Every structure is written in C-alpha cells, then in structure tokens.
Amino acid sequence: MTGRLRGAVCGMVAAGFGIAVAELIAAAARPGAGPLVAVGGAVIDATPTPVKEFAVRELGTNDKPVLLSVISLVLLLLAVVTGMLGARWRRAIPVGTGVLGVVGVAAALSRPAAVVWDGIPALAGAVVAGATLWWLLRPRTVAKAAAPEAPVAATKAPVAATGAPVAATEVQVAAPVVPETGFDRRLVLRLGMLAAGAGVAEFGALGITGQRDKALGNSREALELPAAAEPAPPLPGGIAPGFTTANSTFYRVDTALTVPRIDPATWSLRIHGMVDREIELSLADLLRRPLIERDITLNCVSNEVGGPYIGTARWLGVPLAALLREAGVQAGADQIVARSVEGMTIGTPVVTALDGRDTMLAVGMNGEPLPLEHGFPVRMLTPGLYGYAGACKWVTELELTTFDRFDAYWVERGWGAEGTVKTASRIDKPKPFARMAAGPVTVAGVAWAQQRGIGKVEVSVDGGAWSEAELLPTASIDTWVQWRYSWKASAGPHSLAVRATDKTGAVQPEQRATPFPDGATGWHTVTVTVG
Ligand SMILES: Nc1nc2c(c(=O)[nH]1)N[C@H]1C(S)=C(S)[C@@H](COP(=O)(O)O)O[C@H]1N2
Ligand SMILES: [Mo]
C-alpha cells in the first residue's frame, strides 16, 4: 500500500515539475504554446459541436477555466497512475511519461498556427518528468537485514578489486535490490525540492508572461489612433442608457484559451489569393488610410433566444472595400478567408465587403485601441453577419478564394456558410421571475436586424393580442433598437413575449430553433408575478 502511495505522490510531483519546466520554456520561447494550452486548444477543436454548444450555454465565459481545470485533473490522474505503476515496474515510467509527452507534442503540433519547434516544451517536460520519476523511484541497494553501511562497503570492495561480472553477482547476493515503499527523510526532502523547483519555474513563467503583457499593454496604450476621416455622428437624443456596450462588459466568444498577444510593431496583414496584386500592410500603413467610425451591433450565432452574446460599440476602422479594390478581386472569388495569428479561419462572402456596407478592418472600439480580447491590434467586422462569419479577431491574413474550395473553421463543423444575422428581440426588463406590484410596468429591451433595420416591435401578454412597443431612436440599421412598452399589470402570474419585424416587413418567426447551425429563432418570453 505505502509503495503505491509513494508512487502516486512521486508521479504527481514529477509531473508537476515537468509541466512547470515545459511552461517555463514555452513562456520564454513561444508565448501561448505551453502544453496545457495546446492540449486545451486541441480538445476545443476536436469537441463535437453539440458538446461545444452545451459548454457555451452552461458555462458561458467560464468554459475556458473549466476546460483547463479538467485537463489538469486528467493529467494529474495519469501522473498518479504512472507513478503507482512505476513503483512496481520501472518500465511503466518511460511508457507513461512517454505517452503524455507524445500527447503534448502532438497537441502542440496540431495547432493550426504551429511551427515545428512548438513540440519542444512538451517534449522537454515529458523527459524531465520521466527522469525525475525514475530518480525518485530508484530502488535502493540495501538489504533489509543488513546494516546501512555494510552493502556500500560490499559494493565497493569486489567491484574495485576485479571489475568482473562475477563480482557483480556477488554484490547482488550481498545487497539485493529492494523497491522502497515508505517516505524516508531523503525522499521527503527530494519531493520538497522538486515542488519548490516547480514553483520557481512556474513563477518564472508567470513573470516572463507578465513582463511581456506589461510591455504589450504599454504599446497598446501608446498607440495613437488617428481621428476618423468619417466620424460617427453623435448618438441621437432620446437613446436610453446601455445603448453602447462598454468594452469591459462586451461579450467575448472565441476558441483562444489564452488571448493572443500581438506586438503591433510587427503585425502585418497580407491580402492574397484570387487577387491581381497581393497587398501587405503594416499597422502604420493601415492607420495612414482614411478611417471610418461606425456604431455597429455584433452578435454571436451561439446566442440563445434572450441570451447575452450581443453588444453595440463604436468601431473605428479601415473600410475593406477600398483595400479589396486595390488588390483587384478576381472574377469567381466569392469568399474572403480571414486568418488570425492563432490559426482561426473565418469565411466572409466577398459581396458583403463590396456591397456598400461598412465592412471594416477595425482598430478602435469605443474610443480606444481594440482590447486584447477583442482582437488587438486589428479585427474584421461585417455588419449584418454573425461574428463567426464576419468578425475575425487578431487577423493577419485575408485570402480571396471560393466557398467551394475552402470551408472555414465553423463551417467545417457544420455551421452555415453564410452567417446572416436573423431578426431577433429580447426583453431586458422585467427580469425572468421578477415580482412586482400591480399597475403600470415598463417592459423594455432591444431588437436587432443588422443591415435590414427594425421596423416594429410588439409585445404580447399571456399569449394575447400583439401591441406595438415604442421604438427609441437608434444610430443606424446596423445597430440594435431599444424599445419600451407600458403594461398595465394586474395581479397574478403573467408571461410577456416580444417579437420584432424588420424593415423588409419580415416578422421574427415564433418557431423555436437552436443556435446550431445558423442562429436561434423564437420569441423571447419572460414570466413574472404581479401582486
Ligand atoms: N480569431 C478569432 N476570431 C473570432 C473568433 C475566434 O474564435 N477566433 N470567434 C468569432 C465569434 S464566434 C464571434 S461571435 C466574435 C466575437 O467577438 P468578441 O469576442 O469581440 O465579442 O468573434 C469572432 N472572431
Ligand atoms: Mo460567435
């Protein structure tokens, strides 16, 4: 029993030490390419869409920490098993740590933006973990009955005298190899040293990352965005608070386990593929172009009816149309594949960049450079398309191609290729299951149909007739519209439903549909108790 416990503890400590070393190497050489994050990224990409949907729905923005915790736990478990087996069969040590190493290396190399040496941290970590465990679980050449000094002397004498195999046999007879089982002082000391070493390595990794983040934060703050050649007009009077979403509360949806860190000084964008002239731009090049400023509502296709993955910001950017005209889009190219530094691909219809809407390469969000988690230094933004189809963050490459020839990341996973935003509406007030006094109650919320605009919003109480809500002023057809409705609430339980009609006259469908594969439908309904 104590042998197994000893193996388990040694396995855990050796794995912790190996991982810390790997993370330190990654932090120093390739930020964001640590084995934990690499395995996490591979798991995200391999996760079937329904499971991903479930995770996004149930865990929201916590999905990433939860995933990393689960991976750490699984790793710990495997380390414990390797240690327990290794305490009995030495061969289990290289096999166990080897398997973990192969998984880590494979995960690192499977990342779409990987380079060959991305496997090195995981490889080094596995070798360190294996060697450490080997060392910790080394059997002692001590015969149980013999006095501690005796075997040492016995070992030395015959070997030194003859150096012959015969002598070795004699040694084994004198001092049989026995696996240790307990926790003697020497082992405890070693475990403590290794734990401290892991702590130092982890601390070093965090320190290096912290330094880099500070430098990056500084260069982001130092980035002076030019004024827009076409500033957004001031928001119309009468807009209610909350129209513009603050950067700090803007929803975030992406597959990046760690936020990509891009040095704006080395960032570049390449426009290539089915174009007459390839274009390569630095950030300075981009910022020399005339910038437009627009209020645009961005939402996620994964948003459930009534869900939170939507926000409106004032974006500053370079119109993509002008860049594409310069590059000369060739006949037949119908898809722009945007690639980000971490290897995301987002496919956007070429028409949506050339039909006159404000599709842009955004550099600013609500009066400051893009926050790191929203795509610093440059992201795409396509009004009227869900984020997965038009809003590539951390973008570095635009390839003109066809939808026939290439499926972007989400399309490969079954999501619709087009990504047109569906007309939708949401009740924000009152909250579900709220209790209130009878009398006049203000029901309020938002409705959106980017590119088409909202024509009408209606509210129905307890499934009764639809009454038109008041629409507040809004910025454009690309922004949501705030609405309110004065309801004379009578005592009892009630359900409130909302539906919107876009400016083409199409009414938001009642039919419930899940976000997969091209956006949720159905009326948002809130149940409240009056009196
Ligand atoms: N590089 C990259 N860009 C991305 C994504 C991603 O996973 N990686 N997710 C897309 C999705 S699904 C959405 S809804 C929007 C969300 O943008 P936000 O996080 O700034 O709100 O970014 C899009 N751009
Ligand atoms: Mo999304």
Side-chain angles (χ1 to χ4, degrees):
M1 181 57 219
T2 48
R4 254 183 275 163
L5 182 65
R6 185 174 187 272
V9 172
C10 290
M12 237 158 66
V13 170
F17 185 57
I19 290 167
V21 167
E23 295 293 341
L24 177 61
I25 295 174
R30 280 275 285 177
L36 281 183
V37 166
V39 171
V43 169
I44 289 179
D45 290 353
T47 302
T49 298
V51 180
K52 219 183 272 182
E53 281 287 88
F54 171 84
V56 169
R57 190 171 58 239
E58 300 301 321
L59 306 171
T61 334
N62 288 330
D63 55 350
K64 285 166 191 157
V66 167
L67 174 64
L68 283 181
S69 310
V70 169
I71 288 172
S72 305
L73 245 127
V74 169
L75 202 70
L76 213 66
L77 207 78
L78 292 175
V80 164
V81 170
T82 302
M84 282 164 71
L85 293 176
R88 283 195 67 175
W89 302 288
R90 307 228 75 201
R91 245 175 306 168
I93 297 173
V95 170
T97 50
V99 165
L100 290 178
V102 166
V103 168
V105 170
L109 295 182
S110 78
R111 310 288 57 235
V115 291
V116 266
W117 45 86
D118 281 359
I120 290 175
L123 183 67
V127 169
V128 167
T132 305
L133 189 56
W134 188 271
W135 175 62
L136 286 174
L137 295 181
R138 204 172 37 169
R140 244 196 315 185
T141 47
V142 177
K144 280 247 166 82
E149 289 80 12
V152 178
T155 310
K156 275 184 184 154
V159 173
T162 67
V166 183
T169 319
E170 274 174 52
V171 173
Q172 287 209 348
V173 171
V177 173
V178 286
E180 292 194 57
T181 52
F183 288 87
D184 60 10
R185 233 184 41 214
R186 196 181 54 177
L187 180 64
V188 170
L189 194 72
R190 285 177 177 178
L191 289 173
M193 267 165 44
L194 285 166
V200 168
E202 201 52 58
F203 192 73
L206 288 177
I208 293 172
T209 310
Q211 279 308 110
R212 195 178 285 121
D213 283 359
K214 215 165 100 193
L216 183 57
N218 289 342
S219 51
R220 175 177 171 271
E221 253 155 53
L223 185 65
E224 295 214 18
L225 296 178
E230 267 184 49
L235 293 178
I239 278 182
F243 180 84
T244 302
T245 313
N247 291 356
S248 57
T249 54
F250 207 96
Y251 82 94
R252 175 186 167 202
V253 170
D254 55 60
T255 61
L257 266 178
T258 54
V259 176
R261 274 92 163 166
I262 303 175
D263 178 358
T266 59
W267 177 88
S268 71
L269 176 77
R270 198 160 76 90
I271 304 178
H272 66 109
M274 294 171 73
V275 293
D276 296 333
R277 292 162 293 276
E278 263 194 45
I279 292 183
E280 179 138 9
L281 294 160
S282 69
L283 188 58
D285 295 335
L286 196 69
L287 295 181
R288 266 195 291 275
R289 298 176 157 262
L291 301 177
I292 57 171
E293 190 185 42
R294 297 288 186 265
D295 296 302
I296 295 169
T297 296
L298 175 65
N299 53 328
C300 182
V301 69
S302 296
N303 207 23
E304 302 276 344
V305 171
Y309 302 143
I310 179 166
T312 301
R314 178 160 284 196
W315 307 91
L316 177 74
V318 174
L320 184 56
L323 283 170
L324 290 187
R325 294 220 169 82
E326 249 177 71
V329 177
Q330 291 174 354
D334 60 4
Q335 178 175 221
I336 305 167
V337 173
R339 280 198 180 76
S340 66
V341 277
E342 84 288 7
M344 171 53 65
T345 53
I346 286 188
T348 307
V350 168
V351 284
T352 63
L354 298 177
D355 63 3
R357 73 182 81 183
D358 294 315
T359 301
M360 64 168 94
L361 292 166
V363 291
M365 183 177 184
N366 291 328
E368 48 178 275
L370 288 179
L372 299 190
E373 38 316 340
H374 295 293
F376 181 80
V378 181
R379 77 175 302 168
M380 246 183 66
L381 213 56
T382 311
L385 297 188
Y386 290 116
Y388 84 99
C392 188
K393 306 193 272 189
W394 311 291
V395 65
T396 64
E397 200 185 304
L398 301 179
E399 183 187 357
L400 276 293
T401 180
T402 64
F403 278 101
D404 276 351
R405 217 175 287 171
F406 186 79
D407 284 342
Y409 185 89
W410 298 104
V411 176
E412 216 186 335
R413 287 159 177 77
W415 294 84
E418 201 186 321
T420 305
V421 166
K422 292 178 177 173
T423 302
S425 50
R426 186 178 77 188
I427 298 171
D428 292 329
K429 239 175 59 179
K431 293 284 169 217
F433 312 115
R435 301 184 145 268
M436 64 204 69
V441 168
T442 300
V443 183
V446 285
W448 58 92
Q450 294 95 309
Q451 280 293 293
R452 297 179 299 281
I454 289 292
K456 185 164 78 172
V457 171
E458 296 163 294
V459 173
S460 158
V461 181
D462 301 326
W466 290 97
S467 313
E468 223 172 305
E470 176 197 353
L471 298 188
L472 275 58
T474 189
S476 77
I477 56 165
D478 290 330
T479 52
W480 56 17
V481 176
Q482 298 165 309
W483 57 266
R484 63 181 168 219
Y485 173 73
S486 183
W487 170 44
K488 283 161 219 59
S490 59
H494 294 288
S495 87
L496 302 163
V498 64
R499 72 176 187 193
T501 302
D502 69 19
K503 282 187 172 155
T504 74
V507 182
Q508 181 187 338
E510 175 180 17
Q511 176 81 38
R512 279 267 170 173
T514 58
F516 185 81
D518 57 8
T521 64
W523 298 332
H524 187 212
T525 303
V526 163
T527 304
V528 298
T529 308
V530 178

